[in-house]
Amino acid sequence: MANAAAARIAGRLVQARELAEPALRRAQATAYRPIVARAHLELAAAEGALGLEDEALVEATEAHFLGAATDQYDVAARAAALATEALPTESTSGPVAQLWHRAGTSAALRLEDGELIGADIDVRYGAFLLSLTHAAEATPVLDRAIEVLQRRLGPDAQELWDAELLRARVWVMAERIDEAHAIAEQAQAHAEAHLAGAGGPRSGG
């Protein structure tokens, strides 16, 4: 599973799935449910990153319920976030997304420090609501996530700016173009500063 996760983080998504599938089979052979839950979660993450939404939803569902059954609430919460992201973008998915959001939030609240996982769940649910053009419903969800991300990760965190850009979409839908433009400009400045820092000169030996 660690190799699959490393490949996914490095952007080698096909390899990540190729590694996650046998890792799940090995986990299932042990019949140890906590490991099986984490293996389902990693496969769901790989498939979701590849855009295989139906497959990711199946694996995320397995991971969530196994995680909750074995008191692995981090697995249950992250799986709920992945399941929300994998739902088809159609109005009939709205109630299902709401249930996944509640399930993920509930699991995150059972963690000693689940605030950041909860914020990630909020961001994904907010993005789903925006895909249905439900800007009014998305607004308080994204506001809550942004407050947590800013407080916990600081103003330079990429996760924060991803959420801020979603909020800019809310402003566009509400025809608050000036506010949306301000967020977009700030996000661009942040990205340029980050690139400049990454490509800056290194001190010699």
Side-chain angles (χ1 to χ4, degrees):
M1 278 185 284
N3 290 336
R8 173 173 53 80
I9 292 168
R12 301 191 302 273
L13 303 181
V14 172
Q15 182 187 17
R17 188 187 188 206
E18 290 173 347
L19 291 167
E21 287 178 325
L24 173 59
R25 290 194 292 271
R26 289 193 298 271
Q28 289 171 326
T30 71
Y32 184 56
R33 293 196 300 169
I35 296 297
V36 176
R38 291 188 179 276
H40 277 296
L41 180 67
E42 186 52 50
L43 181 54
E47 290 177 335
L50 281 167
L52 302 173
E53 294 174 345
D54 291 345
E55 293 89 337
L57 183 57
V58 169
E59 299 301 333
T61 301
E62 291 285 346
H64 173 76
F65 287 106
L66 271 176
T70 54
D71 295 336
Q72 294 187 105
Y73 296 110
D74 62 324
V75 172
R78 293 184 190 283
L82 290 173
T84 302
E85 201 168 50
L87 289 171
T89 305
E90 52 192 40
S91 59
T92 55
S93 298
V96 180
Q98 186 178 47
L99 288 174
W100 274 120
H101 179 247
R102 289 177 179 173
T105 301
S106 177
L109 287 172
R110 301 191 69 166
L111 295 168
E112 184 175 343
D113 185 10
E115 196 174 38
L116 284 173
I117 295 178
D120 180 54
I121 294 167
D122 280 345
V123 168
R124 294 177 195 238
Y125 182 50
F128 176 83
L129 290 171
L130 287 178
S131 72
L132 300 181
T133 68
H134 293 174
E137 294 176 49
T139 298
V141 176
L142 291 172
D143 285 349
R144 182 172 58 240
I146 287 168
E147 186 280 323
V148 170
L149 292 169
Q150 192 164 36
R151 173 166 46 82
R152 294 293 302 272
L153 300 181
D156 294 328
Q158 185 59 50
E159 295 89 342
L160 173 64
W161 286 103
D162 290 342
E164 286 281 14
L165 287 172
L166 287 174
R167 184 154 64 178
R169 287 176 58 190
V170 171
W171 297 151
V172 170
M173 290 178 188
E175 298 185 357
R176 295 165 62 174
I177 304 303
D178 288 345
E179 290 163 275
H181 184 65
I183 291 175
E185 284 189 334
Q186 291 170 24
Q188 182 178 358
H190 170 264
E192 289 173 352
H194 178 75
L195 289 172
R202 298 182 180 180
S203 58

